[in-house]
Amino acid sequence: QVPLSSSIKQWYQRRVRGENVKPDLITLGKALGGGVFPVSAVLTSDEVMLCIKPGEHGSTFGGNPLGCKIAMTAIDVLESEGLYENAEKMGNILLEELRKLPKDVVDVVRGRGLFCGVEIKETDSFNAWEVCLKLRDAGLLAKPTHGHIIRFTPPIVINEEEMKECTEIICSTITSFN
């Protein structure tokens, strides 16, 4: 459920930053088709791929020629329209604002790119679900998960003005629980 720009770009950046993260394989799904066509793929080394014999691995949407062309085009669009860079820039703005949230309501803030989350300190008077309902009423949809975490995944094409509007809604809503 990670955006395509986050999964590929962040893995690469972690390798470059020396975190020495080297997965055996990376699976790509929904986002690879750019919302146009179902397609999936596995990225791995020759060493790993050559261990997989015919019939040992399958994919419902892998190998379809139309799907492959759409996937290649989706990746081209991410690169040519600067969407990797936009995700990083907007994600930094989002994280910076989330880190300003009151510590008596928000326990932990974490994220990379536009894939961010906050851990809510649950009390008898509120929890992540209630915070998400208030966010919805204020015009912003967010996903509660694991009972106490709120996931924020704005679209990769979000601009600074829209991000400012989102962070204002998030901050004012969460601060209202303070």
Side-chain angles (χ1 to χ4, degrees):
Q1 301 256 343
V2 177
L4 184 60
S5 63
S6 297
S7 57
I8 295 174
K9 185 74 169 183
Q10 289 173 14
W11 169 77
Y12 175 75
Q13 288 175 336
R14 293 173 98 180
R15 291 284 296 154
V16 170
R17 287 194 303 241
E19 293 181 34
N20 203 23
V21 174
K22 185 177 181 186
D24 291 326
L25 53 88
I26 298 174
T27 59
L28 303 174
K30 294 177 191 176
L32 187 59
V36 175
F37 193 85
V39 64
S40 62
V42 175
L43 307 178
T44 190
S45 66
D46 284 345
E47 179 185 0
V48 171
M49 201 63 204
L50 292 172
C51 292
I52 302 171
K53 309 229 181 335
E56 290 182 346
H57 170 71
S59 172
T60 304
F61 300 115
N64 179 300
L66 178 59
C68 291
K69 181 62 178 173
I70 290 169
M72 291 168 52
T73 302
I75 292 169
D76 287 344
V77 168
L78 286 171
E79 291 175 347
S80 67
E81 294 186 13
L83 296 177
Y84 289 125
E85 294 78 13
N86 190 63
E88 186 173 345
K89 181 179 177 184
M90 294 302 110
N92 287 339
I93 292 170
L94 177 57
L95 280 171
E96 182 179 319
E97 293 303 313
L98 292 176
R99 289 185 176 119
K100 295 177 185 176
L101 293 168
K103 301 296 180 222
D104 54 335
V105 179
V106 173
D107 216 7
V108 176
V109 173
R110 63 177 168 263
R112 288 185 186 256
L114 286 171
F115 197 59
C116 302
V118 296
E119 289 187 24
I120 298 294
K121 287 186 180 179
E122 294 188 63
T123 68
D124 291 336
S125 57
F126 67 87
N127 59 30
W129 175 252
E130 276 131 22
V131 174
C132 285
L133 291 176
K134 275 190 91 168
L135 286 166
R136 178 205 60 197
D137 294 344
L140 188 135
L141 297 178
K143 168 85 172 90
T145 184
H146 300 291
H148 67 291
I149 298 170
I150 299 175
R151 183 185 307 162
F152 298 104
T153 55
I156 195 167
V157 294
I158 195 166
N159 62 41
E160 271 189 75
E161 182 181 328
E162 293 163 334
M163 183 58 77
K164 184 178 187 315
E165 181 181 354
C166 290
T167 57
E168 287 172 358
I169 291 170
I170 293 167
C171 292
S172 64
T173 300
I174 290 179
T175 301
S176 74
F177 287 93
N178 192 2

